[in-house]
Amino acid sequence: MNKLLMVTLGLISTLSSAKDARRLITIGGNVSETACALGYCENIVATDSSSLYPNSLTKLPQVGYARSLNAEGLIAQKADLVLATASAGPDSVIEKVKVTGIKFQAVDGGITVDAAKARITALGDILDKKAEAKNLLQDLDKDLQALQMRRMEIKTPLKVMFIYARGAKVLQVSGDHTAAASMIELAGGKNAFTGFNEYKGLTPEAAVAAAPDVILMTKDGIAGVGGLEAVWKLPGLAMTPAFQKKRLVVMEDLFLLGMGPRLGKAALQLMDELYLARK
Amino acid sequence: MIRWNNVSYVKNSRFLLQDISVEMPAGQLTVVLGPNGAGKSTFLRLCSKEMLPTSGMIELHGKDLQNWSTQDMALFRGVLSQSHPVAFPMDVAELVLMGRYPHKKRAALDHHDQHIVQEALAECSVKHLNDRSTQFLSGGELQRVQTARILAQIWEDHPQHPRILLLDEPTASLDPGYQHLCLLKAKKLAEQGVCVIAILHDLNLAARYADHIVFLKEGRLAGAGPMRDMMRESILRDVFSVEIHTVHDPRLEHPLIFTLGPQHQQLANEPKLRSL
Amino acid sequence: MKPSVRYTVTLLAGFVLALVLVVASIKMGAVSIPWENFSHLEPAQAMIIWDLRLPRAAMAFLVGGILALTGVCLQGLLRNPLASPSLLGMTSGAALFAAIIIIAQHSFLSFLHPAWAESMIAAGAFVGCLLTSLWLYGLARQSGQTNTALLLLAGVAITSLAGAGTGFITFIADDAQLRSITFWNMGSVGTATWSQVLCIAVFSLPAILILPWMGRSLNAMLLGEQEAQFLGFPVEKQKRLILVCVSLAVGASVAFTGVIGFVGLVVPHLLRLWLGADHQRLLPTSLIFGGCLLLASDIIARTVAAPLELPLGVVTASIGAPYFLYLLQRSARRMNP
């Protein structure tokens, strides 16, 4: 984000009235990213373990994992406002934090494009950055339109299998209603697995039956299985078209799955990787 | 006094003891003898209420044994079992002091109890082990320490009931000197009025110290009565299936018992032995 | 030093240490509250002390004391220095049920209000602990008596079974559930409230009131159950009583704090080395020093990496494991001089 733009936005925000949060805690990768994008980066004093973008956030004090926050850690930051994804907890901790007068705002954590847009609008309202929010949405819409046009030119969508690697031994594939599914659809691909919600274990038979053309993974996932080469040794992939053509797309976790302001750019990059890159 | 009335004990549809009626009076040392598997340990366990008879009744001081509570019996009944490993190391004095627990339900153990502990240790010739930890004792030393504990438990006369002391092979891991010491003390206790019942293997020790003998063979009573009547060649031969030769030395009040060989052995062919 | 003197000194030291730690836990934390403020606390600071730090301290001390006390009792009962509620499967059963509830909250229990979520997990864990204790007791009964050798074996078997169940649930759990299960298994007093402390206190009352007086009985049981019976102790009744007190207290504790290991092993072991095997001395001192250990661990957990909070079980394991390694070395050296 342009530093000058941020400073300007910062000035504008200090001149604006109500909801004038000086010190902010943001919990949730896309919440932090959006708050930053709306111009509040300088005001964020602490984040959670999933807030990795922009990189400056990782240098801030950590309040832990979103689902098991600790009250005193949050209070000690002397924040005015805590913006958190809806899954943050435990509830008792949040109640205690509210009692000390710190405002607490939950933001929906949905993984669809509409949910992402609603999130940006909601945060814009909370932080009184409606104009900036609108700008972000406009940029996003532009990307979405571009995606839609390019999608219309795709004759046969590629089947994409998203593998979530929770360590080398536990591999799962994405079905419907996940961020990965949303992104694959946006990028003009077809989810190789449908008919079930969220994640299911990867089995060789399922992989063969699904016959994906491309495998999609995140950088952390690659690290989890032990490197790029290790992917091809995973059981069951050998009989898939993806393996035969060695089609593997790797993208950064928060960028691909965050469903934050950059989701349009991520979808475009994914679309490029799927349909333009031919190795 | 312990009296058995037609007592049987069945386990896994087998009679370990069958139809036994016998009386073990207070103030006497009764020795239970018999070959292996005769049921001697079972006999003692039924006396101590560790197990309950399948049929028949055991009387303790005139009352059915089943009606005596554990707490009451602990005040005058001591049981010395064959071996008890101690789970955690502790000091010898602490171990023996536990013998006084039944006498002080809630109250603290005091100097009186400590005094008894020291006396009991002296009685068993283990006073020098007072401060030792149990993990560094030999098998025999531990046995004597446990004996001291049992003695401490029944050290004092009970106001209403004669004391009872049950000994399961107390001489098993002791050298000859201590074997005699042990039984001498048991005899002395009997003379004080304690009903002492001991299982022994050594026939001579039994002859020397017992007032009363109970013979068990294959779960049945094979004879019971005063020592002089019981320690005869004919009875011993039947019970133990062994050739017995008793010798009466006029200086002794009891016979000396020698076992010569399995029953019905042809001894005539042995050159060194004269036929009996 | 005479043993009785040593005991009195140790007990007093325990009280003093407890006092010091309570003061430390009030003073220390992610939010700094200087000493001068203590006479006139601002409402936010007062809330931190009364609603955050004190309940945590109370829960940590109570649970630590219970874990150590029940540890001593089980070690005496089973005549095994490695015995603890964890070994008998009580904590594994609690963990299994907690994991089931965590998963269920997303499926058939999702109609329940999220505020009930934590209480449901606690209730599930408590029920899990009680059920495993009942099952354990049933398995170990033999012709009307509780066979302690069987008890130990049954405990190991139940732990494995519960572990398999929890493993399966971990496998089918999604990311969020997995994290919840993992954190529950690492232990924490971070969400302590006074009502939770009260709940634990109520269920631990039998244990705290009854167990410290069973010192002589446990001493006698060290000689063997038959010997304890000959000394006049109603062994079977007392075994049952001990198991009931332990399950209730441990169940309530684990329900709210999750799995916290090592306290029930390290504290009794150290005290046994220092004071001897007499349970009359071990029981009260274990209660106090167990509380001190867990309270100290909690202070460490929330200050060493503030504002992050380490899981309590991790801190106690970091203290306990090296201690046992050291013990292992020492006894190995003694065996091969």
Side-chain angles (χ1 to χ4, degrees):
Chain A
M1 196 91 198
N2 189 333
K3 191 125 206 252
L4 181 61
L5 181 57
M6 266 173 41
V7 169
T8 320
L9 286 175
L11 273 175
I12 298 176
S13 73
T14 56
L15 292 175
S16 63
S17 51
K19 293 193 178 130
D20 202 11
R22 301 288 152 87
R23 297 171 65 86
L24 205 60
I25 299 179
T26 53
I27 296 178
N30 51 31
V31 174
S32 307
E33 197 186 316
T34 312
C36 256
L38 289 174
Y40 260 82
C41 244
E42 306 271 280
N43 300 65
I44 299 179
V45 294
T47 61
D48 73 317
S49 52
S50 66
S51 301
L52 302 168
Y53 183 88
N55 213 16
S56 54
L57 293 181
T58 58
K59 305 204 179 46
L60 292 173
Q62 282 269 313
V63 290
Y65 172 61
R67 282 171 183 271
S68 53
L69 302 166
N70 77 84
E72 228 184 294
L74 286 170
I75 297 172
Q77 306 307 319
K78 297 200 187 30
D80 308 299
L81 172 64
V82 176
L83 290 173
T85 169
S87 61
D91 286 321
S92 55
V93 167
I94 295 174
E95 291 307 310
K96 290 192 183 150
V97 169
K98 283 199 209 165
V99 166
T100 60
I102 298 177
K103 290 207 209 55
F104 188 92
Q105 278 285 356
V107 178
D108 177 62
I111 41 77
T112 61
V113 177
D114 290 327
K117 287 202 210 173
R119 194 160 36 240
I120 295 175
T121 318
L123 282 169
D125 287 338
I126 296 170
L127 296 173
D128 204 32
K129 294 277 189 192
K130 299 198 180 56
E132 292 78 358
K134 255 175 109 177
N135 287 342
L136 284 180
L137 285 174
Q138 277 174 352
D139 283 337
L140 182 56
D141 278 329
K142 262 195 245 147
D143 292 331
L144 290 174
Q145 276 165 11
L147 283 164
Q148 189 175 22
M149 301 229 313
R150 288 174 60 179
R151 274 205 298 275
M152 296 203 286
E153 293 166 19
I154 297 172
K155 292 193 207 71
T156 41
L158 289 172
K159 283 201 276 190
V160 183
M161 169 165 89
F162 176 76
I163 299 181
Y164 171 50
R166 198 198 283 168
K169 289 284 161 70
V170 187
L171 299 168
Q172 297 187 315
V173 287
S174 163
D176 303 323
H177 298 147
T178 66
S182 305
M183 296 303 283
I184 292 173
E185 198 190 346
L186 268 182
K190 201 163 97 116
N191 193 347
F193 290 86
T194 57
F196 62 91
N197 284 346
E198 312 228 354
Y199 286 88
K200 217 161 76 153
L202 167 67
T203 62
E205 297 89 43
V208 172
D213 302 304
V214 184
I215 295 172
L216 177 62
M217 290 181 73
T218 64
K219 287 220 179 91
D220 281 351
I222 296 285
V225 295
L228 284 168
E229 284 314 307
V231 176
W232 304 116
K233 300 205 189 83
L234 292 174
L237 296 185
M239 310 252 276
T240 57
F243 177 84
Q244 278 136 23
K245 296 188 216 131
K246 286 281 196 298
R247 291 296 316 274
L248 170 68
V249 175
V250 182
M251 288 177 68
E252 208 260 311
D253 306 60
L254 197 56
F255 185 44
L256 175 65
L257 304 173
M259 304 308 278
R262 295 179 294 158
L263 84 90
K265 311 258 181 313
L268 283 167
Q269 182 177 328
L270 180 57
M271 190 182 259
D272 288 342
E273 299 259 9
L274 287 177
Y275 295 104
L276 291 185
R278 288 263 180 264
K279 295 194 188 91
Chain B
M1 165 273 292
I2 298 184
R3 185 189 290 143
W4 284 46
N5 300 311
N6 300 101
V7 176
S8 299
Y9 184 76
V10 176
K11 188 164 172 188
N12 299 339
S13 12
R14 231 179 40 126
F15 275 98
L16 291 182
L17 289 176
Q18 196 168 6
D19 205 26
I20 301 197
S21 298
V22 69
E23 181 172 321
M24 283 139 307
Q28 305 227 337
L29 170 53
T30 303
V31 173
V32 180
L33 293 169
N36 287 342
K40 304 190 294 292
S41 280
T42 313
F43 184 84
L44 209 67
R45 290 212 191 114
L46 286 164
C47 285
S48 69
K49 209 182 170 185
E50 186 178 330
M51 305 191 297
L52 294 173
T54 317
S55 64
M57 181 182 71
I58 302 178
E59 269 176 52
L60 175 63
H61 298 324
K63 194 164 87 168
D64 191 337
L65 188 60
Q66 305 224 23
N67 297 336
W68 284 91
S69 77
T70 331
Q71 281 101 314
D72 288 338
M73 287 205 285
L75 290 171
F76 60 85
R77 185 260 288 123
V79 182
L80 186 63
S81 318
Q82 279 200 38
S83 81
H84 359 55
V86 183
F88 289 106
M90 58 177 89
D91 286 341
V92 163
E94 271 184 306
L95 182 74
V96 179
L97 194 57
M98 286 202 234
R100 300 299 303 161
Y101 279 172
H103 300 278
K104 296 272 166 72
K105 284 300 299 276
R106 302 248 175 268
L109 298 170
D110 54 18
H111 290 299
H112 180 58
D113 300 297
Q114 299 282 5
H115 183 68
I116 293 178
V117 165
Q118 293 303 312
E119 300 263 299
L121 286 170
E123 271 288 301
C124 296
S125 312
V126 282
K127 193 151 181 178
H128 59 288
L129 298 175
N130 188 27
D131 296 315
R132 203 79 80 80
S133 166
T134 53
Q135 58 183 332
F136 300 125
L137 297 178
S138 71
E141 287 172 331
L142 187 58
Q143 186 71 350
R144 276 154 41 212
V145 166
Q146 297 280 21
T147 311
R149 172 172 64 86
I150 307 296
L151 286 181
Q153 186 180 350
I154 55 168
W155 194 257
E156 291 167 323
D157 242 331
H158 190 276
Q160 281 129 17
H161 311 293
R163 291 170 283 165
I164 299 191
L165 181 59
L166 304 173
L167 305 163
D168 193 343
E169 303 204 32
T171 53
S173 49
L174 301 178
D175 61 42
Y178 281 120
Q179 282 181 350
H180 280 274
L181 264 172
C182 173
L183 288 170
L184 200 59
K185 304 234 190 311
K187 184 85 186 232
K188 265 204 275 199
L189 280 171
E191 281 160 17
Q192 286 175 23
V194 182
C195 169
V196 185
I197 305 175
I199 297 178
L200 293 177
H201 270 302
D202 189 326
L203 297 173
N204 282 298
L205 284 175
R208 180 147 171 68
Y209 293 101
D211 298 309
H212 204 73
I213 303 269
V214 169
F215 282 116
L216 291 176
K217 178 172 174 169
E218 285 165 10
R220 285 190 187 273
L221 189 67
M227 185 277 290
R228 285 232 180 70
D229 297 337
M230 289 289 110
M231 294 308 236
R232 294 180 190 280
E233 281 181 17
S234 49
I235 301 180
L236 288 166
R237 195 178 292 141
D238 275 333
V239 173
F240 289 98
S241 306
V242 72
E243 284 299 331
I244 296 275
H245 183 56
T246 57
V247 170
H248 294 269
D249 187 322
R251 294 168 294 178
L252 299 169
E253 285 184 5
H254 60 90
L256 293 166
I257 303 172
F258 296 93
T259 58
L260 295 173
Q263 202 169 23
H264 309 312
Q265 175 78 320
Q266 290 294 30
L267 296 164
N269 299 332
E270 301 278 345
K272 291 234 171 91
L273 289 168
R274 281 171 292 160
S275 64
L276 298 169
Chain C
M1 208 193 281
K2 263 184 62 176
S4 50
V5 176
R6 185 182 269 206
Y7 169 62
T8 325
V9 168
T10 311
L11 202 61
L12 280 172
F15 276 113
V16 169
L17 184 61
L19 216 62
V20 166
L21 285 172
V22 169
V23 170
S25 73
I26 294 179
K27 176 71 174 71
M28 296 171 71
V31 178
S32 75
I33 303 178
W35 281 114
E36 308 84 58
N37 286 38
F38 271 86
S39 43
H40 48 270
L41 290 166
E42 295 166 18
Q45 292 174 328
M47 191 286 282
I48 290 177
I49 290 181
W50 286 108
D51 286 335
L52 288 183
R53 292 185 188 168
L54 271 180
R56 285 183 76 131
M59 188 183 275
F61 194 82
L62 190 57
V63 171
I66 287 166
L67 290 175
L69 181 68
T70 53
V72 174
C73 284
L74 289 179
Q75 283 151 25
L77 190 68
L78 298 174
R79 295 187 281 286
N80 186 319
L82 291 177
S84 67
S86 332
L87 194 70
L88 287 188
M90 292 179 190
T91 45
S92 318
L96 174 62
F97 274 67
I100 292 176
I101 301 276
I102 289 176
I103 299 272
Q105 277 176 340
H106 287 251
S107 49
F108 57 87
L109 284 182
S110 51
F111 59 89
L112 284 172
H113 192 269
W116 285 98
E118 289 168 46
S119 318
M120 282 251 58
I121 298 177
F126 182 64
V127 166
C129 180
L130 287 187
L131 283 181
T132 41
S133 305
L134 271 172
W135 192 17
L136 188 75
Y137 184 63
L139 281 176
R141 271 177 80 72
Q142 228 189 16
S143 48
Q145 289 196 318
T146 323
N147 183 329
T148 43
L150 276 185
L151 206 64
L152 212 61
L153 281 176
V156 172
I158 290 180
T159 307
S160 313
L161 200 65
T166 313
F168 175 70
I169 291 183
T170 309
F171 179 67
I172 63 173
D174 68 30
D175 235 31
Q177 292 163 340
L178 183 65
R179 294 266 202 160
S180 297
I181 295 174
T182 311
F183 275 109
W184 199 89
N185 274 289
M186 291 202 274
S188 156
V189 289
T191 55
T193 63
W194 285 114
S195 53
Q196 288 179 359
V197 173
L198 188 65
C199 193
I200 297 181
V202 163
F203 281 103
S204 315
L205 218 53
I208 297 179
L209 291 180
I210 296 176
L211 294 179
W213 304 113
M214 302 208 64
R216 284 199 193 158
S217 177
L218 286 167
N219 283 350
M221 287 202 228
L222 285 184
L223 300 171
E225 279 167 38
Q226 198 46 245
E227 293 303 316
Q229 190 99 1
F230 288 147
L231 282 172
F233 292 98
V235 170
E236 197 50 41
K237 259 195 276 179
Q238 290 186 326
K239 272 195 285 195
R240 255 196 299 249
L241 187 62
I242 292 177
L243 282 177
V244 167
C245 289
V246 166
S247 347
L248 284 176
V250 169
S253 305
V254 167
F256 293 113
T257 63
V259 178
I260 297 177
F262 284 102
V263 178
L265 287 177
V266 171
V267 173
H269 202 277
L270 275 172
L271 287 171
R272 214 175 271 119
L273 285 176
W274 178 245
L275 295 174
D278 188 350
H279 285 93
Q280 295 170 98
R281 298 195 184 129
L282 286 179
L283 291 164
T285 44
S286 294
L287 189 57
I288 295 191
F289 280 98
C292 288
L293 178 61
L294 203 61
L295 185 52
S297 303
D298 184 50
I299 295 174
I300 294 175
R302 59 189 173 85
T303 52
V304 89
L308 262 184
E309 195 179 288
L310 298 177
L312 203 49
V314 170
V315 177
T316 57
S318 314
I319 299 174
Y323 171 68
F324 276 107
L325 284 171
Y326 160 70
L327 273 187
L328 197 71
Q329 274 204 322
R330 240 181 51 167
S331 50
R333 236 180 279 132
R334 242 193 274 136
M335 284 196 252
N336 310 315

